[in-house]
Amino acid sequence: MKVIQSKTIQPEVKTLLFYATKKVDSEYRLYIECPERVLYGYFIEENIVGCIGIAKIDQKQCELKHIAVSPAYRDKGIGREMVQNIRDRYSFSSICAETDQDAVNFYKNIGFQITSLGEKYPGVERFTCLMNCCE
């Protein structure tokens, strides 16, 4: 994985981020402007096929802000590998995320503890996902 730092968003990165958020441009700007946020790209050969963005809460914790894999590369363990790479790179004691019904099983399957936040938006149940990395 490589840090994505370009001041202008590349079309491939924009497409990947769109899978994770509809506010692509403003979220990308936060990765460029905020030192606690880092966006990584996952490459196969020279092609970016996934991305994972974090916000460092402190030295021991981070929040996964975005995680996305190109449709042709899904179900191949890339998402799991990106999360593991973050764990290895930073030695966080915990990683958290908030997600919806569509992605909650991904987090559950890779070892996150899931807690429902209920219907946070009309008709949309949200979930908090927490991984204790010291276990």
Side-chain angles (χ1 to χ4, degrees), residues 31-45:
Y31 286 115
I32 300 306
E33 295 173 357
C34 300
E36 70 277 359
R37 280 199 174 206
V38 186
L39 182 64
Y40 293 93
Y42 184 97
F43 293 81
I44 294 180
E45 296 172 8

Side-chain angles (χ1 to χ4, degrees), residues 35-135:
E36 70 277 359
R37 280 199 174 206
V38 186
L39 182 64
Y40 293 93
Y42 184 97
F43 293 81
I44 294 180
E45 296 172 8
E46 298 298 315
N47 301 312
I48 186 167
V49 300
C51 68
I52 186 169
I54 65 168
K56 295 181 251 180
I57 298 168
D58 56 36
Q59 292 294 93
K60 299 192 180 287
Q61 305 175 76
C62 83
E63 179 180 5
L64 295 182
K65 300 302 283 182
H66 303 100
I67 185 167
V69 176
S70 295
Y73 291 90
R74 291 181 186 163
D75 299 319
K76 299 182 186 311
I78 292 171
R80 176 188 297 266
E81 192 175 329
M82 289 192 295
V83 172
Q84 185 62 48
N85 190 286
I86 295 298
R87 287 181 65 176
D88 294 344
R89 188 176 296 238
Y90 291 100
S91 301
F92 290 122
S93 59
S94 68
I95 299 173
C96 66
E98 183 179 311
T99 195
D100 57 19
Q101 188 67 49
D102 292 340
V104 73
N105 283 332
F106 163 77
Y107 288 101
K108 186 176 182 180
N109 290 338
I110 66 169
F112 281 77
Q113 300 299 313
I114 309 300
T115 304
S116 175
L117 296 171
E119 196 173 296
K120 193 168 177 181
Y121 310 107
V124 179
E125 184 178 12
R126 299 289 291 175
F127 300 88
T128 295
C129 310
L130 179 66
M131 176 184 278
N132 289 314
C133 301
C134 300
E135 297 176 350

Side-chain angles (χ1 to χ4, degrees), residues 1-16:
M1 285 195 330
K2 294 189 252 181
V3 175
I4 298 172
Q5 300 176 268
S6 173
K7 296 286 184 200
T8 57
I9 188 168
Q10 300 302 311
E12 301 86 358
V13 174
K14 190 169 196 163
T15 299
L16 282 169

